[in-house]
């Protein structure tokens, strides 16, 4: 993580939250004295200058709703570690019919390509 300038996190929504594997990874990297430290002014992230891209997928449509727990959670955790250059790409409505899923995937692919050009 320290050796790279860009971090890409794929986060499918499982029961309104991230998968356990991603949560386990977060628990492994959030380490006092390594990725954050406590100061007189409060905690300070030590993983700075990184570009972060979240790719969030879901069967329904949850962006900016009260059901969207993934983006706020990831922004909080990674922000705590010092990563603030965060961009989000979503593919939503993947379980709402084949046409809707194809359109969502196509749109997400275009957004990702625009981000890496």
């Amino acid at each position: 993580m320290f050796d790279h300038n860009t971090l890409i996190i794929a986060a499918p929504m499982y029961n309104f939250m991230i998968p356990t594997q991603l949560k386990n990874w977060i628990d492994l990297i959030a380490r006092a004295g390594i990725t954050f430290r406590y100061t007189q002014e409060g905690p300070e992230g030590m993983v700075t200058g990184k570009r972060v891209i979240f790719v969030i997928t879901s069967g329904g449509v949850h962006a900016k709703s009260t059901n969207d727990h993934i983006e706020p959670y990831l922004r909080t955790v990674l922000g705590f570690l010092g990563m603030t250059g965060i961009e989000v790409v979503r593919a939503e409505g993947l379980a709402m019919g084949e046409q809707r899923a194809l359109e969502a995937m196509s749109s997400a692919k275009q957004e990702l390509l625009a981000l890496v050009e």
Side-chain angles (χ1 to χ4, degrees):
M1 177 172 50
F2 286 105
D3 295 338
H4 302 283
N5 295 326
T6 302
L7 178 65
I8 300 173
I9 297 175
M13 180 181 279
Y14 291 169
N15 298 317
F16 303 103
M17 196 37 133
I18 60 174
T20 58
Q21 296 88 343
L22 180 54
K23 176 62 168 92
N24 288 339
W25 177 78
I26 290 168
D27 291 343
L28 288 171
I29 66 162
R31 296 284 179 233
I34 298 172
T35 54
F36 71 94
R37 64 178 159 230
Y38 293 107
T39 70
Q40 295 296 332
E41 293 79 36
E44 177 182 71
M46 298 168 65
V47 186
T48 59
K50 304 294 181 190
R51 179 181 188 202
V52 180
I53 301 171
F54 296 152
V55 180
I56 300 172
T57 61
S58 60
V61 177
H62 303 282
K64 303 195 185 331
S65 77
T66 58
N67 294 334
D68 182 10
H69 304 292
I70 293 178
E71 183 178 343
Y73 172 73
L74 291 174
R75 283 186 183 278
T76 298
V77 169
L78 296 181
F80 183 83
L81 301 179
M83 294 177 262
T84 57
I86 297 171
E87 299 165 275
V88 178
V89 174
R90 290 180 180 266
E92 294 191 298
L94 300 179
M96 299 173 73
E98 185 176 342
Q99 186 61 35
R100 176 77 184 248
L102 290 172
E103 290 169 2
M105 294 299 289
S106 176
S107 177
K109 285 178 187 176
Q110 289 174 7
E111 285 182 57
L112 282 170
L113 287 173
L115 288 175
V116 298
E117 289 181 344

